[in-house]
Amino acid sequence: MQIFLLSEANNRDRACVHASCVSVEQRGVLIIGASGAGKSELALQLMAYGADLVADDRVILQMHDEQIVASAVSQIRNLIEARYIGLLRAESTGPVPIDYVVDLDQSEPQRLPEQFTVQVLRQTVPLLRGAGVPNLAAALMQLLKNGRVNPEWPNT
């Protein structure tokens, strides 16, 4: 199976991408970044806070009823890499819809950033720039559980 970078999978109905994915209450976050950027590390931190593993290292993305859903590659399902420790067993869930993409290669210079999107397959998905963000795992858990405030608040 060919593995794509997320940017190479635009306008496809299905692709296997180099990423990790976890879910909270059936809301998925796709974690992308260069090799060694910390994708598995962030997934492990989110799992420690209660997130469910969907897939690590390779994620199958597929269009399903106008939604992008993520699932694990069968050969590495139920496994996650813990750098310097080894491959760990973890029960995978999925498929789950993708609600956010976190890019660990991009940093966010704004304290209260604008909302950005990224194209994933044939849809756009909210993008979070995660490089160097303190408390990223805790903030993502809160986001996945409760969402974020409208940027127009309190004027809405």
Side-chain angles (χ1 to χ4, degrees), residues 8-144:
E8 300 170 334
N10 292 347
N11 298 314
R12 294 176 174 271
D13 288 324
R14 178 181 162 92
C16 181
V17 297
H18 181 67
S20 293
C21 184
V22 298
S23 70
V24 175
E25 299 171 5
Q26 288 296 302
R27 300 189 73 200
V29 59
L30 185 70
I31 306 164
I32 62 172
S35 184
K39 296 179 294 295
S40 298
E41 178 184 349
L42 178 57
L44 281 165
Q45 289 172 350
L46 287 161
M47 291 165 60
Y49 284 131
D52 296 314
L53 176 68
V54 176
D56 184 46
D57 191 51
R58 291 183 276 163
V59 180
I60 296 173
L61 300 175
Q62 189 167 345
M63 293 300 304
H64 181 70
D65 295 335
E66 302 300 316
Q67 268 192 322
I68 303 150
V69 294
S71 58
V73 173
S74 61
Q75 296 90 333
I76 56 175
R77 179 175 284 127
N78 300 321
L79 299 175
I80 187 166
E81 179 185 346
R83 195 169 285 239
Y84 309 115
I85 294 175
L87 290 176
L88 305 178
R89 296 183 191 281
E91 198 167 314
S92 294
T93 188
V96 298
I98 296 297
D99 290 285
Y100 295 95
V101 173
V102 175
D103 188 340
L104 295 179
D105 291 336
Q106 294 187 48
S107 59
E108 179 53 65
Q110 301 296 318
R111 183 172 154 227
L112 297 173
E114 293 180 41
Q115 295 184 20
F116 295 97
T117 60
V118 63
Q119 185 169 347
V120 179
L121 301 180
R122 298 186 185 281
Q123 296 292 326
T124 57
V125 177
L127 172 70
L128 303 167
R129 301 172 186 177
V133 173
N135 303 310
L136 181 58
L140 286 171
M141 285 298 293
Q142 192 66 25
L143 174 67
L144 289 167

